[in-house]
């Protein structure tokens, strides 16, 4: 269930999904384990940004495998994928040390960096 917060096809659904995500993240009392389980059974996505990152990474991995071009930025005709990898490599290069952020973000950044490096995208970044 990858419904965005602003969902033109059904705005009330988008708001409801956003409310569920907020309640889950803030551990609201009315977000019961039963509700969590029911939502997970239908494939509910708790963090849309993480899900989009993973989806783009899978597209990049497919591109690299299909074209046998590890570590190469996709050409200009692959605009979305090209912009995504350029944004991420630039973002990771700006980080002097992964681990200077809060623990969750540091862990997420380390995992993402390792995934990109597994496809040949090398960025000289230290892990704290």
């Amino acid at each position: 269930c990858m419904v965005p917060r602003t969902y033109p096809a059904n705005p009330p659904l988008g708001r409801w999904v956003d409310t569920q995500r907020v309640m889950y993240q803030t551990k609201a009392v009315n977000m019961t384990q039963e509700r969590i389980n029911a939502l997970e059974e239908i494939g509910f996505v708790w963090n849309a940004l993480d899900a989009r990152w993973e989806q783009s990474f899978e597209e990049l991995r497919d591109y690299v495998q299909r074209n046998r071009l590890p570590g190469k930025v996709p050409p200009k005709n692959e605009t979305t994928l090209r912009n995504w990898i350029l944004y991420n490599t630039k973002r990771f290069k700006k980080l002097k040390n992964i681990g200077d952020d809060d623990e969750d973000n540091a862990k997420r950044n380390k995992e993402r960096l390792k995934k990109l490096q597994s496809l040949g995208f090398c960025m000289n970044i230290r892990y704290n």
Side-chain angles (χ1 to χ4, degrees):
C1 179
M2 185 61 176
V3 176
R5 177 186 332 184
T6 54
Y7 187 46
N10 188 338
L13 178 61
R15 288 190 298 273
W16 182 85
V17 166
D18 186 54
T19 299
Q20 303 313 300
R21 289 178 177 142
V22 169
M23 288 190 328
Y24 178 78
Q25 291 167 353
T26 60
K27 297 178 177 24
V29 174
N30 53 348
M31 179 51 80
T32 64
Q33 189 60 49
E34 183 177 293
R35 181 182 285 192
I36 292 169
N37 294 343
L39 289 168
E40 287 178 347
E41 281 181 30
I42 63 167
F44 194 86
V45 174
W46 295 110
N47 188 316
L49 293 176
D50 284 348
R52 280 192 210 104
W53 195 95
E54 291 298 330
Q55 181 180 7
S56 294
F57 176 78
E58 291 302 320
E59 290 173 19
L60 179 64
R61 181 168 49 198
D62 291 346
Y63 172 84
V64 167
Q65 289 174 348
R66 190 173 56 249
N67 296 287
R68 295 188 173 105
L69 296 170
K72 301 291 183 193
V73 174
K76 291 180 181 179
N77 65 335
E78 296 274 353
T79 308
T80 303
L81 197 51
R82 178 183 176 83
N83 289 344
W84 182 83
I85 191 59
L86 289 173
Y87 168 80
N88 276 278
T89 53
K90 184 177 182 179
R91 182 175 161 269
F92 280 116
K93 285 178 182 178
K94 279 185 178 180
L95 293 172
K96 293 197 177 21
N97 296 307
I98 290 183
D100 290 345
D101 211 345
D102 67 67
E103 191 174 323
D104 287 340
N105 281 337
K107 181 180 176 188
R108 181 181 306 116
N109 285 334
K110 282 180 188 179
E111 290 170 0
R112 288 179 176 179
L113 178 61
K114 285 179 183 180
K115 285 183 167 190
L116 290 173
Q117 289 172 330
S118 76
L119 297 180
F121 292 91
C122 298
M123 292 152 269
N124 296 323
I125 298 169
R126 294 193 322 252
Y127 297 100
N128 280 349

